[in-house]
Amino acid sequence: MAVQLELSHITKIFKKDKDLVKAVDDVSLTALPGEMLTFLGPSGCGKTTVLRMVAGFEIPTSGTILIDGQDVTNVPVNRRDIGFVFQNYALFPHMSVFENVAYGLRVKRFSEEEIRRKVGEGLDLVGLGKAEKRFPNQLSGGEQQRVALARVLVLEPRVLLMDEPLSNLDAKLRIHMRTEIRRIQQQLNVTCLYVTHDQGEALTMSDRIMVMHRGRVEQIGTPFEIYSDPRSLFVADFIGQANILPGKVLSVEGGVLSVSMEGRVYPVRGVKDEAFSPGAAVSVVVRPESIAPTEGEGIAGTISTATFLGGRLEYEVLLPSGQTILSFDPYEPGKKTWKEGEPVRLNFDPSSSVALPSKQEVRS
Amino acid sequence: MNSSQPTESPLRPSLLKRDPALIPALAVLWISLALFVLYPLGRLLLVTFTTEGQFTFGNLASVLDNWYDRQAFRNSLFLAAAVALSGTFLGYIYAFVVTRIPMPSWLKWSMSAVTTLPLISPPFTSSIALTLSLGPNGILLKLLGIENFNFYGFWGTWMSETLTFFPVAFLTLAAILAAIDPNLEDAGLSLGASPRRVFRTVTLPLSIPGIANALLLLFASSLADFATPLVLAGHSFPVLPTQAYLQITGLYDLKGGASLSFLLLLPAMTVYLMQRFWVGKKSYVTVGGKTGSRSSFKSTGLLLEGFALAVCFFITAFILYLYSIILLGALVKVWGVDNTLTLENFRYVFTHGRKAITDTLTIAAVATPLGGLLAVVIGTVVQRKKFFSVKAMEFTSLLNYALPGTVVGIAYIIAFNEKPILLTGTMTILVAAYIFRYSAAGIRSVIASLHQIDPSIEEASASLGAGTARTFFRVTVPLVVPSVLLGMRYLFIHCMTAISATIFLVSVRWSLLTTRILECMTELQFAQACAFSIVLILLVFCATAVLTGLTRYAARRISGEGGRS
Ligand SMILES: Nc1ncnc2c1ncn2[C@@H]1O[C@H](COP(=O)(O)OP(=O)(O)O)[C@@H](O)[C@H]1O
Ligand SMILES: [Mg+2]
């Protein structure tokens, strides 16, 4: 049975050459049974540290960790019943694939027969049934990754922890492996924490995403919520690409604000759970794919670069205010294109944009 | 918003609770280090600085007042500086030739092989051969028609020590030169610098930390060397280690000997501290890092290369010559007088010297595995366990190695010659002296190899359910076996060839090959001394070959059997 995992008010302070570094700052989260929860954030924001505390490699400075309702904060890693997949795989170089996968089973004193059966099943699950006798250095990166996965899966851990498991693979294999990992995780119905700094990976594989920034939780939500209702400019900017336009609220009606920006007025959806009042300054998040040059009405600007990428054209448009807007325009033969230096008007779909209260820091 | 202080310190004391196997391991390590490293050193200082229970500088002052002892102090420093300079220079030339000049690989290999000869030989070898060549009746003197040449004193000692110790500099520098990223030199060339300029502005500056390290190593080796000056320095050129030895064995003056060895300890400790805290921090190149392919035609200029090659060939030939002298010396009746060939000397070695052979082998066979174990345990604790005393433990475990052998030997007879810990005359004291002095190489190489192994390997083992002990024996130990074997090889060689510390510790019950060689030398039985040396070299060579083979095998296993390693 899949179990629930709870972190409450976890803080971790490292001592680094006499300085104290707050790597993780008051993180609380609950991973539901069988859920795939990804930690997403820029490098150095504390994702690995949270994961290592869940595993038991590090002890939190304060806060508690519950697995299936049990407090495991001070339980050593080898008695936590977790599976950890390392960024560098950490296969034992002096053991064959079989021995690597059998390692944890031998610790648990399974009979030789059972070990043989379970290792076989584990390797079949990851599609490496024939590699038992080989050694880690005879495997490709993707194969090593599968062995590392099989090695923890045969133990049927209560919680599966993965720290950027795909970051050392090439782009194609990465995309293949992420569906594979997701399939196995769902098939085994195991609660999984997955660390990544790749938003594509997070958006495609997760039930929910936790976005971290400087040791803090910025937002926890489903991929759709994170994308369409970013709670902060940091999240908006980190997930996908975003143009952030300053504006001013003229009136509020239901959830929709009339916002004046760049001399025009647009109806824009206000972000969930925030109250807006007329006169407030807002930042409007406009995705590049929902804003495009047009010959009709729109915000005035000048094309500063135009790049053809095959499927689409990317424009950078300089506004009179000095801000540069990024726009992705799907390309079809016969469609009008613009050249550098041409004056242009930008049209966007206000319903796919969202307004956040201003006075927030942007990503550093 | 959350500015409240953490309620607990970042270092929770629960480390020991979570890692219970650590407590007995730490206790055993600290007790043995205290007993065999700190206690003797403390007793030595006590003898140096007390008279009848009172603190005094009197003992030291009486040594410093003595003109002859002051001379010994000055000579020791001067000799060490001279050997450090010449040895490092030679070592750099060798390292440069082997790493930078294109040569057939067999030639490179044989040049490196010749430089290992002095490393595995007993300390008298080059002294004996040089005496037979340049001493009274020396064949080189006869050959060149030189008369009235006094070889004993500074020049003979300097020459012999340079030949004995330059391979250490060679190994250090070759590692550094090989690790310098070839792209840096290529970058220099591509920016328009001439090869010679690249050498001067890129290669040489990058190897400076290595040069500094080699200088310090050689300075320390020469400072501590006891055997060479005993044979070659003579009365006109006293040095500290031999003075201390004579003070104790000749005059039974323990206080004088202790004071002299304290004088020897000062520069030795200075060098050790400089090496640890200064050179250690200044390295630009990471040895063992990945090296790209070295682009082939990059001549540093014919003159420079020609000079380097000539020096190398000359020195290589000279070393080979010295060893053939030893072989020849063992095979003739009386050197320079009756040159008929005979096996008589070897018969002497295997009859009169049999006890020395078996004793030496027994001691080495006991010490080597114990030292290997010590190296793994200390290396792992120091590198992997974040615990407050590990830095001090590392320092202590390498201390005896940093001290000159004479100092350790004198400290041991002072400490273990009376109750409560009466050990003189036993095998235990010899084995302990070797282990706590020469495991240093093993400890260092274990630390270095663990440094290369990502801790996630051990974390993986823990996360798969294994406890500390299982992780140590199933994962850590197999991975460091090659470096442990490397350390054991070093320990074995030194158990067979060392003399400076153990000359104070031998007894009627336990005799050693090296002390037998010394006896032969003092009784002018050169032929027997040569035969002993040859037998010793062969024994060491065989054992080294076995341990090297094992190391290779273990290394191959780790990188995967039959794998593309
Ligand atoms: N063992 C440690 N000692 C000191 N500082 C650490 C340690 N581990 C991580 N940190 C610091 O904590 C911060 C977060 O690191 P990490 O969790 O590895 O980030 P991420 O995985 O998100 O890239 C970084 O600033 C890092 O330097
Ligand atoms: Mg990380």
Side-chain angles (χ1 to χ4, degrees):
Chain A
M1 260 322 283
V3 302
Q4 174 162 319
L5 171 75
E6 268 178 82
L7 273 62
S8 64
H9 305 289
I10 294 288
T11 295
K12 177 71 188 179
I13 296 172
F14 284 115
K15 208 174 191 168
K16 208 182 209 170
D17 310 327
K18 309 245 156 65
D19 290 343
L20 296 183
V21 179
K22 208 175 218 177
V24 174
D25 189 357
D26 196 30
V27 166
S28 298
L29 70 92
T30 303
L32 302 173
E35 184 177 39
M36 176 86 148
L37 181 63
T38 45
F39 297 179
L40 179 63
S43 158
C45 70
K47 308 178 296 287
T48 298
T49 308
V50 175
L51 205 68
R52 289 173 59 82
M53 286 188 287
V54 176
F57 298 135
E58 311 277 359
I59 314 165
T61 311
S62 62
T64 50
I65 299 170
L66 305 180
I67 297 180
D68 202 11
Q70 272 173 285
D71 184 348
V72 296
T73 317
N74 278 305
V75 174
V77 48
N78 52 330
R79 290 196 225 111
R80 270 195 200 188
D81 228 355
I82 52 94
F84 198 100
V85 178
F86 295 84
Q87 188 168 5
N88 63 357
Y89 321 136
L91 295 180
F92 305 125
H94 57 302
M95 296 181 192
S96 65
V97 167
F98 181 90
E99 282 306 319
N100 262 287
V101 179
Y103 189 89
L105 297 169
R106 291 201 194 285
V107 175
K108 294 202 165 148
R109 301 185 188 287
F110 279 94
S111 72
E112 201 56 34
E113 227 172 290
E114 261 176 307
I115 291 178
R116 198 150 281 291
R117 181 177 60 76
K118 279 175 184 280
V119 171
E121 283 172 8
L123 286 173
D124 284 340
L125 186 68
V126 297
L128 268 182
K130 300 215 169 56
E132 282 190 357
K133 291 207 175 56
R134 291 206 265 160
F135 278 80
N137 70 336
Q138 297 169 299
L139 303 176
S140 70
E143 288 169 330
Q144 291 186 31
Q145 185 58 75
R146 288 158 198 261
V147 176
L149 198 56
R151 186 172 67 174
V152 305
L153 292 180
V154 291
L155 294 177
E156 297 164 25
R158 294 192 295 174
V159 180
L160 185 57
L161 307 170
M162 302 199 205
D163 187 7
E164 309 209 15
L166 304 181
S167 63
N168 289 339
L169 303 181
D170 60 56
K172 256 208 168 124
L173 196 55
R174 206 147 58 206
I175 290 173
H176 174 69
M177 281 301 287
R178 69 192 188 200
T179 42
E180 194 85 328
I181 289 177
R182 179 65 164 153
R183 172 183 69 77
I184 291 170
Q185 183 264 333
Q186 284 177 324
Q187 183 181 337
L188 300 180
N189 186 28
V190 56
T191 313
C192 177
L193 299 184
Y194 186 103
V195 166
T196 179
H197 64 263
D198 177 340
Q199 39 150 322
E201 217 164 278
L203 290 170
T204 48
M205 346 184 22
S206 335
D207 292 312
R208 283 190 301 155
I209 296 175
M210 172 169 98
V211 183
M212 288 186 72
H213 180 42
R214 293 191 184 154
R216 302 250 193 95
V217 178
E218 287 278 327
Q219 186 171 0
I220 303 183
T222 63
F224 184 74
E225 280 167 3
I226 299 266
Y227 189 81
S228 57
D229 271 302
R231 288 304 153 83
S232 65
L233 291 181
F234 172 79
V235 176
D237 198 33
F238 194 75
I239 308 288
Q241 277 166 295
N243 297 300
I244 293 167
L245 291 162
K248 194 171 193 177
V249 179
L250 298 180
S251 64
V252 183
E253 203 174 303
V256 180
L257 325 172
S258 279
V259 181
S260 133
M261 47 202 271
E262 301 297 330
R264 306 181 66 86
V265 178
Y266 292 96
V268 181
R269 188 165 52 87
V271 76
K272 251 199 239 163
D273 304 337
E274 283 282 355
F276 296 90
S277 50
V282 288
S283 299
V284 178
V285 177
V286 181
R287 301 286 177 191
E289 52 271 18
S290 56
I291 186 165
T294 169
E295 289 168 298
E297 283 294 282
I299 300 170
T302 319
I303 304 276
S304 58
T305 64
T307 316
F308 180 55
L309 287 179
R312 66 175 194 232
L313 276 139
E314 281 190 22
Y315 296 109
E316 277 176 29
V317 181
L318 188 64
L319 302 188
S321 63
Q323 195 178 359
T324 300
I325 296 283
L326 189 63
S327 148
F328 301 159
D329 195 13
Y331 174 73
E332 295 143 25
K335 189 167 173 178
K336 159 112 178 112
T337 60
W338 279 261
K339 291 204 180 55
E340 282 161 31
E342 272 187 275
V344 77
R345 297 229 160 222
L346 289 168
N347 180 27
F348 78 97
D349 175 10
S351 66
S352 63
S353 302
V354 65
L356 303 183
S358 235
K359 74 184 188 292
Q360 280 192 352
E361 39 155 5
V362 191
R363 165 151 62 133
S364 57
Chain B
M1 67 169 198
N2 188 352
S3 61
S4 64
Q5 287 301 305
T7 46
E8 274 161 295
S9 113
L11 298 171
R12 281 197 192 176
S14 54
L15 186 73
L16 276 182
K17 217 165 53 194
R18 290 155 60 91
D19 206 352
L22 206 54
I23 301 172
L26 281 173
V28 169
L29 286 180
W30 268 122
I31 288 172
S32 34
L33 287 175
L35 189 59
F36 289 109
V37 180
L38 298 176
Y39 173 67
L41 189 60
R43 289 293 303 264
L44 177 78
L45 295 179
L46 213 62
V47 170
T48 311
F49 288 105
T50 55
T51 307
E52 287 155 11
Q54 294 290 310
F55 176 81
T56 174
F57 282 113
N59 301 325
L60 213 53
S62 69
V63 165
L64 286 171
D65 278 345
N66 183 329
W67 172 85
Y68 199 64
D69 288 338
R70 261 198 335 260
Q71 194 59 33
F73 185 58
R74 244 176 276 150
N75 285 347
S76 270
L77 293 182
F78 179 67
L79 176 69
V83 170
L85 285 175
S86 56
T88 305
F89 182 67
L90 259 190
Y92 197 88
I93 292 181
Y94 252 82
F96 183 80
V97 166
V98 168
T99 57
R100 290 294 188 281
I101 298 183
M103 273 195 292
S105 57
W106 62 267
L107 198 60
K108 264 185 202 184
W109 185 87
S110 43
M111 273 186 17
S112 307
V114 168
T115 61
T116 57
L117 272 176
L119 291 176
I120 64 164
S121 307
F124 301 108
T125 322
S126 64
S127 316
I128 301 174
L130 284 171
T131 309
L132 295 181
S133 307
L134 297 170
N137 284 329
I139 56 161
L140 267 187
L141 291 187
K142 279 189 195 158
L143 220 62
L144 300 172
I146 303 172
E147 281 170 40
N148 288 332
F149 177 74
N150 187 7
F151 171 68
Y152 292 106
F154 169 76
W155 291 106
T157 318
W158 169 73
M159 199 163 156
S160 178
E161 288 192 353
T162 302
L163 284 175
T164 311
F165 296 130
F166 93 89
V168 176
F170 161 68
L171 291 179
T172 315
L173 291 164
I176 295 281
L177 283 179
I180 291 176
D181 186 347
N183 287 339
L184 293 176
E185 288 167 0
D186 287 350
L189 288 174
S190 72
L191 292 170
S194 67
R196 196 176 299 193
R197 192 187 173 85
V198 168
F199 175 76
R200 195 162 44 79
T201 55
V202 178
T203 317
L204 197 57
L206 284 178
S207 45
I208 279 179
I211 293 176
N213 198 17
L215 281 172
L216 290 178
L217 277 174
L218 261 57
F219 187 90
S221 306
S222 164
L223 193 68
D225 190 21
F226 163 77
T228 314
L230 194 64
V231 176
L232 293 180
H235 289 300
S236 61
F237 191 75
V239 293
L240 284 176
T242 47
Q243 269 315 98
Y245 170 69
L246 295 175
Q247 203 78 21
I248 286 183
T249 52
L251 304 172
Y252 304 102
D253 175 9
L254 217 52
K255 281 194 182 304
S259 307
L260 280 169
S261 58
F262 180 76
L263 283 186
L264 188 56
L265 184 146
L266 288 180
M269 280 316 289
T270 312
V271 168
Y272 177 54
L273 293 175
M274 273 167 78
Q275 218 186 354
R276 271 187 75 88
F277 298 109
W278 180 57
V279 177
K281 293 218 170 96
K282 288 196 74 111
S283 178
Y284 306 112
V285 262
T286 43
V287 176
K290 67 169 124 142
T291 45
S293 58
R294 205 163 279 290
S295 57
S296 47
F297 49 111
K298 211 192 291 179
S299 165
T300 319
L302 282 181
L303 203 66
L304 212 67
E305 289 193 356
F307 169 73
L309 273 174
V311 170
C312 274
F313 285 130
F314 176 72
I315 296 292
T316 310
F318 193 62
I319 293 175
L320 286 176
Y321 157 80
L322 289 180
Y323 279 83
S324 16
I325 291 285
I326 298 280
L327 184 59
L328 214 62
L331 289 172
V332 299
K333 276 210 171 115
V334 184
W335 181 258
V337 180
D338 180 356
N339 281 342
T340 38
L341 293 181
T342 171
L343 285 178
E344 190 54 40
N345 304 316
F346 285 101
R347 193 165 306 129
Y348 175 87
V349 167
F350 286 111
T351 51
H352 291 77
R354 164 176 249 132
K355 181 168 160 45
I357 295 178
T358 50
D359 282 0
T360 308
L361 280 174
T362 312
I363 290 169
V366 171
T368 306
L370 285 177
L373 186 68
L374 188 75
V376 194
V377 177
I378 291 192
T380 312
V381 166
V382 165
Q383 223 288 317
R384 284 296 199 253
K385 306 295 171 189
K386 305 285 169 257
F387 194 66
F388 68 91
S389 69
V390 294
K391 275 269 163 266
M393 179 178 284
E394 184 189 359
F395 188 86
T396 314
S397 69
L398 300 178
L399 193 58
N400 266 8
Y401 175 69
L403 297 176
T406 313
V407 176
V408 176
I410 293 176
Y412 268 47
I413 42 165
I414 292 174
F416 301 122
N417 205 18
E418 58 194 27
K419 289 188 172 146
I421 315 167
L422 179 61
L423 290 176
T424 38
T426 64
M427 183 168 118
T428 314
I429 193 170
L430 286 163
V431 170
Y434 284 134
I435 291 179
F436 287 92
R437 200 160 140 67
Y438 295 115
S439 291
I443 293 172
R444 283 190 176 166
S445 78
V446 168
I447 290 178
S449 80
L450 282 175
H451 202 73
Q452 305 266 313
I453 298 169
D454 197 295
S456 63
I457 290 270
E458 283 138 344
E459 288 173 353
S461 171
S463 72
L464 293 168
T468 311
R470 191 184 188 97
T471 302
F472 179 71
F473 286 111
R474 296 296 305 276
V475 177
T476 315
V477 170
L479 290 178
V480 297
V481 156
S483 16
V484 177
L485 285 171
L486 207 71
M488 282 168 67
R489 191 174 78 191
Y490 182 89
L491 177 59
F492 186 88
I493 292 173
H494 283 273
C495 286
M496 298 291 289
T497 61
I499 185 161
S500 54
T502 31
I503 190 145
F504 297 99
L505 309 175
V506 288
S507 57
V508 215
R509 276 189 282 160
W510 293 94
S511 73
L512 295 174
L513 275 171
T514 42
T515 47
R516 286 306 308 265
I517 298 177
L518 185 63
E519 282 165 29
C520 291
M521 296 285 290
T522 43
E523 284 157 31
L524 298 180
Q525 298 173 307
F526 286 111
Q528 284 84 345
C530 288
F532 266 120
S533 301
I534 294 286
V535 169
L536 182 48
I537 291 172
L538 287 178
L539 283 175
V540 171
F541 190 79
C542 293
T544 314
V546 169
L547 280 168
T548 310
L550 278 177
T551 313
R552 295 244 168 89
Y553 174 73
R556 190 132 15 109
R557 271 199 66 97
I558 284 179
S559 57
E561 270 155 315
R564 29 175 157 109
S565 49

